[in-house]
Amino acid sequence: MASGQLSRAEALACSGCRHACHVMLYCDTKSQLFGRLPIRHIILMQMRFDGLLGFPGGFVKPSEETLEAGLSRELLEELGVALPILVEDHADSCYAPASSHSSSSSSSSRLITHFYVKKMEEEQIREVERAAASTATDHGQEVLGMVRVPLYTTKGGGGLAAFLSHSFIGNARSQLADSLLRLNLVAPEELHKALTHSLKIHTQTAEDLQVAFALTEAKRKRF
Ligand code: AMP
Ligand code: MN
């Protein structure tokens, strides 16, 4: 177990803690982008109500439900399908980072996040995507849309690097990177290259934001 992580049992022993469970649903695919770039795997994430990328899931009350049953309940709300989650799907548990984005900062009790990984068939993943945009009660509310994670790198360096440079909730970016390596979905060398490029994109983004900022400043002064 990596440092800073808790076993499922240790995490549950903290009665004063709040608990949240999230899952990475994924499948293999033979499909190709532009008919030539292998997509290899479909990994589902979501654009959340707060504008951040994250995994589906949410708060669970271990005094009233098991972690897995609570996660299934959250998935029904967010994805519109009842997906059974098993103890065997548990990947890790850890204390959530104190973050300015996080709503957990308004509460004094510590938040433990439990992460699950579930491999599915490609048709099941497509069904989840359809239901999430049609029958899910949270669609357009807590969830603004499901997104697939691009694992490839285009000629211009786009794809995984650009995706990783966006803003993520809590430790979702680390959960993604860790899963990519653990499940052999991306080679360590490839991920390293993508992250190096992400840092450059991040610098460009800061410059872009400055331009937009200057624009609004000029407008504000005119009124
Ligand atoms: P949610 O209901 O999905 O917003 O999740 C419940 C809590 O878990 C929120 O306070 C989030 O800040 C936090 N959270 C959501 N996703 C993650 C994640 N991937 N890693 C760590 N914390 C998260
Ligand atoms: Mn959620």
Side-chain angles (χ1 to χ4, degrees):
M1 205 178 299
S3 64
Q5 296 202 342
L6 305 154
S7 72
R8 191 176 170 282
E10 281 169 337
L12 283 172
C14 177
S15 53
C17 290
R18 292 183 311 143
H19 297 263
C21 298
H22 296 89
V23 66
M24 183 179 104
L25 302 174
Y26 78 105
C27 69
D28 297 336
T29 181
K30 291 196 163 55
S31 57
Q32 297 185 325
L33 177 67
F34 309 134
R36 57 186 153 75
L37 255 181
I39 289 171
R40 298 203 299 259
H41 311 281
I42 301 172
I43 297 177
L44 294 186
M45 291 193 76
Q46 62 189 20
M47 176 55 73
R48 298 159 44 91
F49 65 95
D50 51 16
L52 300 171
L53 290 166
F55 289 101
F59 287 115
V60 168
K61 283 209 175 92
S63 59
E64 295 171 13
E65 57 192 352
T66 64
L67 292 176
E68 294 74 25
L71 176 53
S72 288
R73 174 184 50 70
E74 282 288 333
L75 295 181
L76 182 60
E77 291 166 14
E78 295 189 354
L79 306 175
V81 282
L83 285 177
I85 302 293
L86 310 174
V87 176
E88 295 91 272
D89 301 322
H90 177 262
D92 61 60
S93 298
C94 63
Y95 288 110
S99 152
S100 55
H101 296 310
S102 173
S103 56
S104 61
S105 56
S106 57
S107 166
S108 58
S109 53
R110 290 195 82 176
L111 174 68
I112 296 179
T113 53
H114 306 270
F115 189 60
Y116 292 75
V117 173
K118 191 176 172 71
K119 188 167 187 183
M120 300 170 75
E121 295 299 322
E122 185 167 359
E123 188 40 49
Q124 291 177 300
I125 289 283
R126 289 179 186 276
E127 176 53 33
V128 168
E129 290 177 316
R130 283 191 291 267
S134 52
T135 55
T137 53
D138 282 353
H139 180 67
Q141 311 265 325
E142 283 185 43
V143 183
L144 303 184
M146 299 305 296
V147 295
R148 295 182 179 195
V149 180
L151 298 180
Y152 45 77
T153 300
T154 64
K155 274 200 195 116
L160 183 58
F163 188 86
L164 289 169
S165 74
H166 294 314
S167 296
F168 290 73
I169 182 77
N171 51 355
R173 183 174 8 228
S174 305
Q175 288 169 333
L176 173 62
D178 183 59
S179 303
L180 294 181
L181 294 178
R182 208 160 25 82
L183 300 166
N184 254 322
L185 304 179
V186 172
E189 191 53 32
E190 246 179 281
L191 182 59
H192 187 267
K193 262 197 224 159
L195 283 167
T196 305
H197 191 56
S198 289
L199 286 166
K200 286 199 191 120
I201 295 173
H202 198 259
T203 311
Q204 286 163 9
T205 302
E207 287 167 11
D208 258 23
L209 284 169
Q210 286 296 342
V211 173
F213 185 76
L215 209 85
T216 46
E217 279 288 274
K219 283 250 188 300
R220 276 175 68 208
K221 283 187 188 124
R222 227 177 289 156
F223 290 104

